[in-house]
């Protein structure tokens, strides 16, 4: 008879970090930017020595944070950026670093031209608090500087982690 002995593949890991553009750790700096039901793993396991799946480095798969949008992904060995193929290792020698750009605290729903503001993305609309004010057009018009502004309803999206007031929103709008 012929016998074969199989050994389970050794497990390795790769670390995962989430940082702002200044390399500040988003999970440690301000936990309030985390979104409920979003997962923020700190590592990923796989077969030791195997190259990580490209999907792990995709910006489209990056977790979301309140007040931030994914900008890029970089790979590191230790604390140094690398362009090497990164592999699962016993001690997690490699790190996938998701880099996020901070968004404005107050984002207008529309531009001065009355068109939708591209910065008011679905993610912003889903995580920021909408502040809307309306004007009875028979009683007056809003102005921005000296010019009258078309429209009677204005919505601004406010980052809930930044403790902004209605006065802050009015100041940001420039409307009088």
């Amino acid at each position: 008879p012929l016998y074969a002995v199989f050994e389970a593949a050794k497990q390795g890991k790769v670390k995962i970090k989430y940082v702002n553009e200044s390399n500040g750790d988003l999970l440690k700096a301000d936990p309030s930017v985390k979104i409920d039901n979003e997962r923020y793993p700190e590592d990923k396991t796989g077969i030791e020595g195997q190259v990580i799946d490209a999907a792990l480095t995709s910006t489209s798969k990056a977790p979301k944070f309140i007040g931030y949008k994914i900008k890029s992904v970089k790979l590191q060995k230790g604390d140094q950026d690398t362009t090497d193929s990164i592999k699962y290792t016993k001690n997690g020698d490699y790190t996938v670093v998701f880099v996020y750009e901070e968004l404005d605290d107050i984002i207008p729903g529309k531009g001065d031209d009355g068109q939708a503001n591209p910065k008011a993305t679905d993610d912003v609309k889903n995580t920021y608090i909408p502040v809307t004010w309306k004007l009875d057009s028979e009683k007056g018009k809003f102005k921005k500087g000296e010019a009258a502004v078309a429209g009677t309803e204005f919505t601004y999206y406010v980052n809930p982690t930044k403790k902004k007031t209605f006065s802050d929103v009015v100041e940001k709008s420039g409307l009088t």
Side-chain angles (χ1 to χ4, degrees):
L2 186 61
Y3 294 98
V5 177
F6 293 96
E7 183 178 306
K10 293 182 180 174
Q11 290 293 297
K13 68 179 179 178
V14 62
K15 295 175 189 164
I16 303 173
K17 282 175 48 177
Y18 312 94
V19 300
N20 60 27
E21 292 175 290
S22 304
N23 211 35
D25 187 320
L26 291 178
L27 293 178
K28 292 179 181 156
D30 186 2
S32 70
V33 299
K34 291 170 69 172
I35 297 173
D36 292 342
N37 300 322
E38 187 79 45
R39 298 183 63 227
Y40 304 96
E42 293 186 16
D43 61 39
K44 172 89 171 139
T45 57
I47 297 171
E48 189 177 337
Q50 189 176 58
V51 174
I52 66 164
D53 184 6
L56 185 59
T57 63
S58 169
T59 56
S60 66
K61 303 280 188 201
K64 297 174 182 172
F65 289 88
I66 298 170
Y68 292 87
K69 72 175 183 178
I70 186 68
K71 182 177 180 182
S72 62
V73 179
K74 61 184 180 178
L75 308 175
Q76 293 182 331
K77 183 173 184 178
D79 287 337
Q80 301 297 313
D81 291 355
T82 184
T83 55
D84 296 346
S85 293
I86 67 173
K87 300 176 180 182
Y88 295 103
T89 62
K90 179 180 179 180
N91 298 319
D93 300 325
Y94 292 98
T95 305
V96 176
V97 182
F98 291 98
V99 181
Y100 291 82
E101 176 184 338
E102 188 168 7
L103 302 174
D104 293 337
D105 296 339
I106 301 170
I107 299 174
K110 293 182 179 176
D112 289 345
D113 59 3
Q115 299 301 310
N117 180 358
K119 290 184 177 181
T121 63
D122 286 343
D123 287 341
V124 166
K125 292 176 182 178
N126 290 332
T127 58
Y128 277 39
I129 297 170
V131 175
T132 302
W133 68 92
K134 299 176 184 181
L135 174 71
D136 182 341
S137 61
E138 293 182 16
K139 296 187 178 176
K141 292 187 180 256
F142 279 117
K143 283 186 167 184
K144 192 166 199 170
E146 293 299 315
V149 176
T152 58
E153 182 174 318
F154 300 89
T155 299
Y156 287 78
Y157 297 93
V158 181
N159 184 331
T161 69
K162 299 295 183 176
K163 299 179 176 50
K164 295 294 180 181
T165 65
F166 184 69
S167 295
D168 295 328
V169 176
V170 171
E171 182 180 324
K172 170 80 175 186
S173 76
L175 296 172
T176 56

